[in-house]
Amino acid sequence: RTNALRQIKTGDDDFGLMGYDPAFLNTANCKSAITFIDGDKGILEYRGYPIEQLAEKSSFLEVAYLLLNGELPSEKELQQFNHLVTHHTYVHENVKSFMDGFRYDAHPMSMVSSTVAALSSFYPDAKNIKDPLSRRIQITRLIAKMPTIAAFSYRHTMGLPYIYPDNDLSYVANFLAMIKRIGTSTYKVHPVLERALDILFILHADHEQNCSTTSVRTVGSSEVDPYSAVSAGIGALYGPLHGGANEAVLRMLRDIGHVSKIPEFIKSVKSGEGEKKLMGFGHRVYKSYDPRAKVIKRVADEVFEVTGKNPLLEIAVELERIALEDEYFVKRKLYPNVDFYSGLIYEAMGFQVEMFPVLFAIPRTVGWCAQWEEMVTDNEQKIARPRQVFTGAPRRDYVPMNKRA
Ligand code: ACO
Protein backbone atom coordinates (compact mmCIF):
# COMPACT_ATOMS: atom_id res chain seq x y z
CA ARG A 1 0.00 0.00 0.00
CA THR A 2 2.97 2.33 -0.15
CA ASN A 3 3.19 5.13 -2.64
CA ALA A 4 6.91 4.49 -3.05
CA LEU A 5 7.16 5.29 -6.75
CA ARG A 6 10.71 5.59 -8.01
CA GLN A 7 11.62 8.87 -9.60
CA ILE A 8 12.15 8.14 -13.27
CA LYS A 9 12.20 11.73 -14.53
CA THR A 10 14.55 14.14 -12.83
CA GLY A 11 13.38 17.37 -14.49
CA ASP A 12 11.65 18.97 -17.48
CA ASP A 13 14.61 18.32 -19.76
CA ASP A 14 14.92 14.69 -18.74
CA PHE A 15 12.77 12.29 -20.79
CA GLY A 16 13.23 9.72 -18.04
CA LEU A 17 12.92 5.99 -18.53
CA MET A 18 10.62 4.41 -21.05
CA GLY A 19 9.45 0.99 -19.99
CA TYR A 20 8.30 -1.70 -22.39
CA ASP A 21 5.37 -3.32 -20.65
CA PRO A 22 2.75 -4.65 -23.05
CA ALA A 23 -0.60 -5.25 -21.32
CA PHE A 24 0.61 -3.20 -18.30
CA LEU A 25 1.82 -6.31 -16.46
CA ASN A 26 3.99 -4.26 -14.18
CA THR A 27 2.85 -0.69 -14.67
CA ALA A 28 0.58 1.39 -12.42
CA ASN A 29 -1.60 3.46 -14.72
CA CYS A 30 -2.95 5.74 -12.00
CA LYS A 31 -3.23 6.36 -8.27
CA SER A 32 -6.56 5.25 -6.84
CA ALA A 33 -8.21 5.23 -3.42
CA ILE A 34 -11.20 3.11 -4.40
CA THR A 35 -10.42 -0.61 -4.45
CA PHE A 36 -7.56 -2.60 -2.92
CA ILE A 37 -6.53 -6.07 -4.07
CA ASP A 38 -3.84 -8.33 -2.65
CA GLY A 39 -3.71 -11.03 -5.30
CA ASP A 40 -1.38 -13.36 -3.37
CA LYS A 41 -3.48 -13.35 -0.23
CA GLY A 42 -6.86 -13.25 -2.03
CA ILE A 43 -7.93 -9.93 -0.46
CA LEU A 44 -10.43 -7.52 -2.02
CA GLU A 45 -11.56 -4.34 -0.27
CA TYR A 46 -13.80 -1.48 -1.39
CA ARG A 47 -12.72 1.77 0.31
CA GLY A 48 -11.09 -0.39 3.00
CA TYR A 49 -14.09 -2.63 3.70
CA PRO A 50 -13.53 -6.37 3.06
CA ILE A 51 -15.70 -7.72 0.25
CA GLU A 52 -16.90 -10.59 2.46
CA GLN A 53 -18.38 -8.14 5.01
CA LEU A 54 -20.02 -6.01 2.34
CA ALA A 55 -21.51 -9.09 0.66
CA GLU A 56 -22.93 -10.27 3.96
CA LYS A 57 -24.18 -7.02 5.48
CA SER A 58 -24.62 -4.42 2.78
CA SER A 59 -26.86 -3.77 -0.22
CA PHE A 60 -25.79 -2.99 -3.76
CA LEU A 61 -26.88 0.65 -3.71
CA GLU A 62 -25.18 1.14 -0.33
CA VAL A 63 -21.98 -0.22 -1.85
CA ALA A 64 -22.49 2.00 -4.89
CA TYR A 65 -22.69 5.02 -2.57
CA LEU A 66 -19.55 3.85 -0.78
CA LEU A 67 -17.56 3.41 -3.99
CA LEU A 68 -18.65 6.79 -5.33
CA ASN A 69 -18.28 8.82 -2.13
CA GLY A 70 -15.61 7.03 -0.13
CA GLU A 71 -17.73 6.48 3.01
CA LEU A 72 -20.74 4.36 3.91
CA PRO A 73 -23.94 6.42 3.79
CA SER A 74 -26.06 7.41 6.79
CA GLU A 75 -29.64 6.12 6.67
CA LYS A 76 -30.85 9.45 5.28
CA GLU A 77 -28.07 9.62 2.67
CA LEU A 78 -28.88 6.12 1.50
CA GLN A 79 -32.59 6.95 1.25
CA GLN A 80 -31.80 10.02 -0.84
CA PHE A 81 -29.44 8.06 -3.08
CA ASN A 82 -32.04 5.30 -3.50
CA HIS A 83 -34.66 7.87 -4.39
CA LEU A 84 -32.39 9.56 -6.91
CA VAL A 85 -31.40 6.33 -8.66
CA THR A 86 -34.97 5.04 -8.66
CA HIS A 87 -36.26 8.19 -10.32
CA HIS A 88 -33.80 8.11 -13.19
CA THR A 89 -34.61 4.59 -14.38
CA TYR A 90 -36.74 5.64 -17.37
CA VAL A 91 -35.12 6.14 -20.76
CA HIS A 92 -36.20 8.58 -23.48
CA GLU A 93 -38.79 6.98 -25.79
CA ASN A 94 -36.37 7.39 -28.71
CA VAL A 95 -33.88 5.14 -26.90
CA LYS A 96 -36.50 2.43 -27.25
CA SER A 97 -36.85 3.18 -30.96
CA PHE A 98 -33.06 3.16 -31.27
CA MET A 99 -32.95 -0.32 -29.73
CA ASP A 100 -35.74 -1.49 -32.05
CA GLY A 101 -33.30 -0.99 -34.91
CA PHE A 102 -30.97 -3.78 -33.78
CA ARG A 103 -31.13 -7.11 -35.59
CA TYR A 104 -33.35 -9.66 -33.86
CA ASP A 105 -30.30 -11.84 -33.09
CA ALA A 106 -27.93 -9.07 -31.94
CA HIS A 107 -25.93 -9.95 -28.83
CA PRO A 108 -27.40 -8.09 -25.81
CA MET A 109 -23.96 -6.88 -24.75
CA SER A 110 -23.40 -5.24 -28.11
CA MET A 111 -26.84 -3.60 -27.87
CA VAL A 112 -26.08 -2.31 -24.37
CA SER A 113 -22.69 -0.93 -25.36
CA SER A 114 -24.12 0.91 -28.40
CA THR A 115 -27.14 2.22 -26.51
CA VAL A 116 -25.02 3.59 -23.66
CA ALA A 117 -22.84 5.34 -26.26
CA ALA A 118 -26.04 6.77 -27.79
CA LEU A 119 -27.01 8.28 -24.43
CA SER A 120 -24.38 10.96 -24.95
CA SER A 121 -26.56 12.30 -27.78
CA PHE A 122 -29.58 12.38 -25.45
CA TYR A 123 -27.69 14.24 -22.70
CA PRO A 124 -25.47 16.88 -24.33
CA ASP A 125 -24.98 18.45 -20.87
CA ALA A 126 -22.75 15.43 -20.12
CA LYS A 127 -19.81 17.13 -21.78
CA ASN A 128 -19.54 19.47 -18.75
CA ILE A 129 -17.22 17.05 -17.04
CA LYS A 130 -15.57 19.78 -14.93
CA ASP A 131 -18.90 20.57 -13.26
CA PRO A 132 -19.35 18.34 -10.16
CA LEU A 133 -23.14 18.62 -10.28
CA SER A 134 -23.32 17.62 -13.92
CA ARG A 135 -20.95 14.71 -13.27
CA ARG A 136 -23.19 13.39 -10.51
CA ILE A 137 -26.31 13.69 -12.69
CA GLN A 138 -24.68 11.65 -15.46
CA ILE A 139 -23.42 9.06 -12.96
CA THR A 140 -26.90 8.72 -11.45
CA ARG A 141 -28.41 8.37 -14.93
CA LEU A 142 -25.90 5.69 -15.90
CA ILE A 143 -26.44 3.61 -12.75
CA ALA A 144 -30.22 4.02 -12.94
CA LYS A 145 -30.66 3.38 -16.65
CA MET A 146 -28.32 0.42 -17.05
CA PRO A 147 -30.86 -2.15 -15.75
CA THR A 148 -33.54 -0.66 -18.03
CA ILE A 149 -31.30 -0.79 -21.12
CA ALA A 150 -30.10 -4.28 -20.14
CA ALA A 151 -33.68 -5.53 -19.74
CA PHE A 152 -34.70 -3.92 -23.04
CA SER A 153 -31.82 -5.70 -24.79
CA TYR A 154 -33.10 -9.00 -23.42
CA ARG A 155 -36.72 -8.31 -24.42
CA HIS A 156 -35.52 -7.33 -27.89
CA THR A 157 -33.75 -10.67 -28.42
CA MET A 158 -36.83 -12.51 -27.19
CA GLY A 159 -39.21 -10.47 -29.36
CA LEU A 160 -41.11 -9.41 -26.25
CA PRO A 161 -42.51 -5.93 -25.56
CA TYR A 162 -40.37 -3.72 -23.34
CA ILE A 163 -41.49 -3.44 -19.72
CA TYR A 164 -41.15 -0.02 -18.11
CA PRO A 165 -39.42 0.38 -14.74
CA ASP A 166 -41.52 0.06 -11.59
CA ASN A 167 -40.19 2.65 -9.15
CA ASP A 168 -41.75 0.94 -6.14
CA LEU A 169 -39.36 -1.97 -6.48
CA SER A 170 -35.76 -2.27 -5.32
CA TYR A 171 -32.94 -1.82 -7.85
CA VAL A 172 -32.56 -5.57 -8.35
CA ALA A 173 -36.26 -6.48 -8.15
CA ASN A 174 -37.07 -3.79 -10.71
CA PHE A 175 -34.50 -5.24 -13.09
CA LEU A 176 -35.83 -8.78 -12.63
CA ALA A 177 -39.40 -7.61 -13.16
CA MET A 178 -38.47 -5.81 -16.41
CA ILE A 179 -36.88 -9.08 -17.59
CA LYS A 180 -39.51 -11.55 -16.44
CA ARG A 181 -42.89 -9.85 -16.54
CA ILE A 182 -45.23 -11.21 -19.20
CA GLY A 183 -48.24 -9.19 -20.32
CA THR A 184 -50.05 -7.43 -17.51
CA SER A 185 -49.23 -10.10 -14.92
CA THR A 186 -47.32 -8.94 -11.86
CA TYR A 187 -44.04 -10.73 -11.37
CA LYS A 188 -43.29 -11.56 -7.76
CA VAL A 189 -39.53 -11.67 -7.21
CA HIS A 190 -38.42 -14.43 -4.83
CA PRO A 191 -36.60 -12.71 -1.92
CA VAL A 192 -33.76 -15.27 -1.95
CA LEU A 193 -33.13 -14.66 -5.64
CA GLU A 194 -33.41 -10.90 -5.18
CA ARG A 195 -30.81 -10.98 -2.40
CA ALA A 196 -28.59 -13.39 -4.37
CA LEU A 197 -28.49 -11.03 -7.36
CA ASP A 198 -27.90 -8.08 -5.04
CA ILE A 199 -24.86 -9.90 -3.59
CA LEU A 200 -23.59 -10.76 -7.07
CA PHE A 201 -23.93 -7.09 -7.99
CA ILE A 202 -21.91 -6.12 -4.89
CA LEU A 203 -19.15 -8.58 -5.84
CA HIS A 204 -18.95 -7.23 -9.39
CA ALA A 205 -19.17 -3.51 -8.55
CA ASP A 206 -15.46 -2.68 -8.89
CA HIS A 207 -12.13 -4.39 -9.36
CA GLU A 208 -9.54 -1.62 -9.71
CA GLN A 209 -7.62 -1.32 -12.99
CA ASN A 210 -8.97 -4.28 -14.96
CA CYS A 211 -9.24 -4.17 -18.76
CA SER A 212 -12.66 -2.46 -18.91
CA THR A 213 -11.90 0.10 -16.18
CA THR A 214 -8.62 0.93 -17.86
CA SER A 215 -10.59 1.43 -21.08
CA VAL A 216 -12.99 3.81 -19.30
CA ARG A 217 -10.07 5.77 -17.82
CA THR A 218 -8.16 5.83 -21.12
CA VAL A 219 -11.11 7.01 -23.20
CA GLY A 220 -12.29 9.33 -20.41
CA SER A 221 -8.84 10.92 -20.19
CA SER A 222 -9.58 12.70 -23.49
CA GLU A 223 -12.30 14.53 -21.49
CA VAL A 224 -15.09 12.96 -23.50
CA ASP A 225 -18.51 12.56 -21.80
CA PRO A 226 -18.94 9.60 -19.41
CA TYR A 227 -21.45 7.76 -21.65
CA SER A 228 -18.82 7.44 -24.37
CA ALA A 229 -16.20 6.38 -21.82
CA VAL A 230 -18.45 3.79 -20.13
CA SER A 231 -19.51 2.44 -23.50
CA ALA A 232 -15.82 1.71 -24.20
CA GLY A 233 -15.70 -0.16 -20.88
CA ILE A 234 -18.68 -2.28 -21.88
CA GLY A 235 -16.94 -3.11 -25.14
CA ALA A 236 -13.87 -4.30 -23.23
CA LEU A 237 -15.98 -6.31 -20.82
CA TYR A 238 -17.69 -8.06 -23.73
CA GLY A 239 -14.52 -10.02 -24.58
CA PRO A 240 -14.28 -13.71 -23.55
CA LEU A 241 -11.09 -13.11 -21.57
CA HIS A 242 -12.87 -10.55 -19.37
CA GLY A 243 -16.62 -10.32 -18.62
CA GLY A 244 -17.52 -12.68 -21.42
CA ALA A 245 -15.82 -15.48 -19.47
CA ASN A 246 -18.96 -16.36 -17.47
CA GLU A 247 -20.77 -17.04 -20.75
CA ALA A 248 -17.77 -19.05 -21.97
CA VAL A 249 -17.75 -21.12 -18.74
CA LEU A 250 -21.35 -22.22 -19.27
CA ARG A 251 -20.68 -23.16 -22.88
CA MET A 252 -17.57 -25.08 -21.76
CA LEU A 253 -19.51 -26.99 -19.06
CA ARG A 254 -22.20 -27.86 -21.61
CA ASP A 255 -19.55 -29.05 -24.08
CA ILE A 256 -17.95 -31.28 -21.43
CA GLY A 257 -21.43 -32.65 -20.79
CA HIS A 258 -20.58 -35.26 -18.14
CA VAL A 259 -18.13 -35.69 -15.24
CA SER A 260 -16.64 -38.73 -16.96
CA LYS A 261 -15.40 -36.43 -19.77
CA ILE A 262 -13.47 -34.09 -17.44
CA PRO A 263 -10.06 -35.86 -17.52
CA GLU A 264 -10.14 -35.83 -21.32
CA PHE A 265 -11.03 -32.11 -21.29
CA ILE A 266 -8.24 -31.25 -18.81
CA LYS A 267 -5.79 -33.19 -20.96
CA SER A 268 -6.80 -31.19 -24.04
CA VAL A 269 -6.31 -27.91 -22.11
CA LYS A 270 -2.84 -28.94 -20.94
CA SER A 271 -1.69 -30.14 -24.34
CA GLY A 272 -3.12 -27.15 -26.20
CA GLU A 273 -0.13 -24.87 -25.47
CA GLY A 274 -2.37 -22.07 -24.21
CA GLU A 275 -4.78 -22.36 -27.17
CA LYS A 276 -7.57 -23.95 -25.12
CA LYS A 277 -8.29 -22.64 -21.65
CA LEU A 278 -10.18 -23.76 -18.63
CA MET A 279 -12.58 -20.81 -18.66
CA GLY A 280 -13.32 -19.23 -15.28
CA PHE A 281 -9.83 -20.14 -14.06
CA GLY A 282 -6.83 -17.87 -13.71
CA HIS A 283 -6.50 -14.18 -13.08
CA ARG A 284 -3.94 -11.51 -13.83
CA VAL A 285 -3.86 -10.36 -10.19
CA TYR A 286 -5.18 -13.22 -8.04
CA LYS A 287 -2.61 -15.94 -7.62
CA SER A 288 -4.81 -17.62 -5.03
CA TYR A 289 -8.55 -18.27 -4.71
CA ASP A 290 -10.57 -15.26 -5.93
CA PRO A 291 -12.40 -14.05 -2.77
CA ARG A 292 -15.48 -13.28 -4.88
CA ALA A 293 -15.63 -16.89 -6.09
CA LYS A 294 -15.76 -18.08 -2.45
CA VAL A 295 -18.82 -15.89 -1.73
CA ILE A 296 -20.46 -16.93 -5.00
CA LYS A 297 -20.12 -20.62 -4.12
CA ARG A 298 -22.11 -19.97 -0.93
CA VAL A 299 -24.73 -17.90 -2.77
CA ALA A 300 -25.06 -20.71 -5.33
CA ASP A 301 -26.15 -23.13 -2.60
CA GLU A 302 -28.86 -20.70 -1.45
CA VAL A 303 -30.12 -20.13 -4.98
CA PHE A 304 -30.21 -23.84 -5.81
CA GLU A 305 -32.34 -24.43 -2.68
CA VAL A 306 -35.00 -22.33 -4.44
CA THR A 307 -34.47 -23.17 -8.10
CA GLY A 308 -33.32 -26.76 -7.81
CA LYS A 309 -29.79 -27.80 -8.64
CA ASN A 310 -28.24 -26.81 -11.94
CA PRO A 311 -27.15 -30.16 -13.46
CA LEU A 312 -23.92 -28.52 -14.63
CA LEU A 313 -22.93 -27.83 -11.01
CA GLU A 314 -21.69 -31.39 -10.54
CA ILE A 315 -19.37 -30.98 -13.55
CA ALA A 316 -18.13 -27.59 -12.27
CA VAL A 317 -17.37 -28.89 -8.76
CA GLU A 318 -15.51 -31.93 -10.08
CA LEU A 319 -13.66 -29.82 -12.63
CA GLU A 320 -12.50 -27.50 -9.86
CA ARG A 321 -11.43 -30.43 -7.64
CA ILE A 322 -9.39 -32.08 -10.40
CA ALA A 323 -7.83 -28.79 -11.59
CA LEU A 324 -6.80 -27.75 -8.07
CA GLU A 325 -4.90 -31.04 -7.69
CA ASP A 326 -3.34 -30.94 -11.14
CA GLU A 327 0.31 -29.87 -11.37
CA TYR A 328 -0.32 -27.75 -14.50
CA PHE A 329 -2.80 -25.50 -12.68
CA VAL A 330 -0.97 -25.59 -9.32
CA LYS A 331 2.33 -24.55 -10.91
CA ARG A 332 0.70 -21.61 -12.71
CA LYS A 333 -1.36 -20.62 -9.65
CA LEU A 334 -4.62 -20.95 -11.57
CA TYR A 335 -7.69 -20.88 -9.29
CA PRO A 336 -11.40 -20.35 -9.98
CA ASN A 337 -12.21 -16.70 -10.59
CA VAL A 338 -15.48 -14.77 -10.19
CA ASP A 339 -16.84 -16.16 -13.45
CA PHE A 340 -16.51 -19.85 -12.67
CA TYR A 341 -19.68 -20.22 -10.61
CA SER A 342 -21.63 -17.03 -11.40
CA GLY A 343 -22.95 -18.37 -14.72
CA LEU A 344 -24.45 -21.41 -12.99
CA ILE A 345 -26.45 -19.10 -10.74
CA TYR A 346 -27.58 -16.91 -13.63
CA GLU A 347 -28.68 -19.97 -15.57
CA ALA A 348 -30.59 -21.34 -12.57
CA MET A 349 -32.32 -17.95 -12.32
CA GLY A 350 -33.48 -18.35 -15.91
CA PHE A 351 -31.07 -16.08 -17.79
CA GLN A 352 -29.80 -17.00 -21.26
CA VAL A 353 -26.00 -17.21 -21.52
CA GLU A 354 -25.93 -14.13 -23.76
CA MET A 355 -27.19 -12.10 -20.80
CA PHE A 356 -24.34 -13.13 -18.47
CA PRO A 357 -21.87 -10.40 -19.47
CA VAL A 358 -24.71 -7.87 -19.28
CA LEU A 359 -25.33 -8.98 -15.69
CA PHE A 360 -21.68 -8.12 -15.07
CA ALA A 361 -21.89 -4.74 -16.82
CA ILE A 362 -24.83 -3.47 -14.74
CA PRO A 363 -23.00 -3.42 -11.38
CA ARG A 364 -19.58 -2.65 -12.89
CA THR A 365 -21.07 0.62 -14.15
CA VAL A 366 -20.73 1.84 -10.56
CA GLY A 367 -17.01 1.06 -10.49
CA TRP A 368 -16.48 2.60 -13.93
CA CYS A 369 -18.25 5.80 -12.81
CA ALA A 370 -16.31 6.01 -9.52
CA GLN A 371 -13.02 5.45 -11.35
CA TRP A 372 -13.97 7.91 -14.10
CA GLU A 373 -14.78 10.65 -11.59
CA GLU A 374 -11.62 9.95 -9.60
CA MET A 375 -9.65 10.28 -12.84
CA VAL A 376 -11.23 13.52 -14.08
CA THR A 377 -10.73 15.17 -10.67
CA ASP A 378 -7.09 14.05 -10.42
CA ASN A 379 -4.84 17.06 -11.10
CA GLU A 380 -2.01 14.78 -12.17
CA GLN A 381 -4.12 13.12 -14.86
CA LYS A 382 -3.29 13.89 -18.48
CA ILE A 383 -4.62 12.36 -21.66
CA ALA A 384 -3.55 8.71 -21.76
CA ARG A 385 -0.90 8.39 -24.40
CA PRO A 386 1.45 5.42 -24.10
CA ARG A 387 4.67 5.29 -26.12
CA GLN A 388 5.84 2.45 -28.31
CA VAL A 389 8.98 0.57 -29.25
CA PHE A 390 9.10 1.09 -33.02
CA THR A 391 9.92 -2.08 -34.97
CA GLY A 392 9.08 -0.98 -38.53
CA ALA A 393 11.10 -0.03 -41.60
CA PRO A 394 13.84 2.65 -41.41
CA ARG A 395 13.37 5.88 -43.44
CA ARG A 396 13.18 5.20 -47.19
CA ASP A 397 12.10 7.03 -50.35
CA TYR A 398 8.73 6.66 -52.03
CA VAL A 399 8.76 4.08 -54.87
CA PRO A 400 6.61 4.92 -57.93
CA MET A 401 4.04 2.27 -58.88
CA ASN A 402 5.87 1.14 -62.06
CA LYS A 403 9.09 0.56 -60.12
CA ARG A 404 7.55 -1.73 -57.47
CA ALA A 405 8.27 -5.45 -57.60
N1 ACO B 1 -6.65 -22.43 -18.48
C1 ACO B 1 -5.47 -23.00 -18.83
N2 ACO B 1 -4.29 -22.36 -18.79
C2 ACO B 1 -4.30 -21.08 -18.38
C3 ACO B 1 -5.48 -20.42 -17.99
C4 ACO B 1 -6.68 -21.14 -18.04
N3 ACO B 1 -7.83 -20.58 -17.70
N4 ACO B 1 -5.19 -19.15 -17.62
C5 ACO B 1 -3.87 -19.02 -17.77
N5 ACO B 1 -3.33 -20.19 -18.23
C6 ACO B 1 -1.91 -20.48 -18.46
C7 ACO B 1 -1.38 -19.76 -19.69
O1 ACO B 1 -1.52 -20.55 -20.87
C8 ACO B 1 0.06 -19.53 -19.31
O2 ACO B 1 0.75 -20.76 -19.42
P1 ACO B 1 2.32 -20.77 -19.87
O3 ACO B 1 3.06 -20.12 -18.75
O4 ACO B 1 2.65 -22.22 -20.05
O5 ACO B 1 2.40 -19.98 -21.15
C9 ACO B 1 -0.01 -19.24 -17.80
O6 ACO B 1 -1.19 -19.92 -17.34
C10 ACO B 1 -0.11 -17.77 -17.47
O7 ACO B 1 -1.26 -17.25 -18.11
P2 ACO B 1 -1.33 -15.85 -18.82
O8 ACO B 1 -2.25 -15.95 -20.00
O9 ACO B 1 0.05 -15.32 -19.08
O10 ACO B 1 -1.99 -14.98 -17.67
P3 ACO B 1 -2.68 -13.58 -17.85
O11 ACO B 1 -2.52 -12.89 -16.55
O12 ACO B 1 -2.18 -12.88 -19.07
O13 ACO B 1 -4.21 -13.94 -18.12
C11 ACO B 1 -6.47 -14.43 -17.79
C12 ACO B 1 -5.19 -13.89 -17.15
C13 ACO B 1 -6.75 -13.68 -19.10
C14 ACO B 1 -7.63 -14.20 -16.85
C15 ACO B 1 -6.27 -15.94 -18.07
O14 ACO B 1 -6.03 -16.63 -16.87
C16 ACO B 1 -7.47 -16.53 -18.81
O15 ACO B 1 -7.56 -16.42 -20.04
N6 ACO B 1 -8.41 -17.19 -18.06
C17 ACO B 1 -9.61 -17.74 -18.68
C18 ACO B 1 -10.60 -16.65 -18.98
C19 ACO B 1 -11.26 -16.13 -17.72
O16 ACO B 1 -11.73 -16.88 -16.89
N7 ACO B 1 -11.32 -14.81 -17.65
C20 ACO B 1 -12.00 -14.12 -16.55
C21 ACO B 1 -10.99 -13.40 -15.73
S1 ACO B 1 -11.77 -12.64 -14.35
C22 ACO B 1 -12.54 -11.30 -14.99
O17 ACO B 1 -12.20 -10.75 -15.99
C23 ACO B 1 -13.69 -10.88 -14.30
Side-chain angles (χ1 to χ4, degrees), residues 241-242 245 269 274 277-284 328-329 332 334 337-339 360:
L241 297 188
H242 193 9
V269 169
K277 284 187 169 164
L278 171 46
M279 298 311 285
F281 258 65
H283 198 277
R284 173 62 59 79
Y328 175 95
F329 296 91
R332 290 169 178 77
L334 301 170
N337 60 48
V338 68
D339 292 314
F360 193 155

Side-chain angles (χ1 to χ4, degrees), residues 46-65:
Y46 294 162
R47 301 282 190 186
Y49 294 103
I51 193 68
E52 295 81 2
Q53 288 182 25
L54 293 171
E56 193 188 330
K57 299 180 177 154
S58 192
S59 69
F60 173 65
L61 282 189
E62 189 184 4
V63 166
Y65 184 100

Side-chain angles (χ1 to χ4, degrees), residues 70-134:
E71 296 298 334
L72 287 166
S74 67
E75 204 174 339
K76 190 161 168 236
E77 285 166 336
L78 184 57
Q79 264 173 14
Q80 283 169 345
F81 185 61
N82 252 316
H83 181 84
L84 207 60
V85 169
T86 306
H87 287 83
H88 278 91
T89 49
Y90 274 63
V91 291
H92 192 291
E93 279 296 291
N94 288 354
V95 170
K96 254 177 47 187
S97 318
F98 177 81
M99 295 190 78
D100 278 339
F102 289 117
R103 264 178 68 123
Y104 70 97
D105 58 352
H107 195 290
M109 194 68 166
S110 132
M111 286 191 250
V112 172
S113 153
S114 322
T115 308
V116 168
L119 288 185
S120 78
S121 62
F122 287 87
Y123 303 111
D125 56 320
K127 64 179 184 303
N128 300 328
I129 65 157
K130 306 275 182 207
D131 173 7
L133 201 63
S134 170

Side-chain angles (χ1 to χ4, degrees), residues 317-357:
V317 170
E318 184 61 4
L319 193 53
E320 178 189 337
R321 192 192 65 75
I322 293 179
L324 291 182
E325 286 175 1
D326 190 294
E327 204 205 322
Y328 175 95
F329 296 91
V330 173
K331 205 172 98 194
R332 290 169 178 77
K333 298 188 176 166
L334 301 170
Y335 293 85
N337 60 48
V338 68
D339 292 314
F340 193 66
Y341 284 103
S342 60
L344 290 171
I345 302 182
Y346 297 147
E347 185 172 68
M349 290 172 88
F351 288 105
Q352 275 78 353
V353 282
E354 291 77 15
M355 281 300 286
F356 294 1

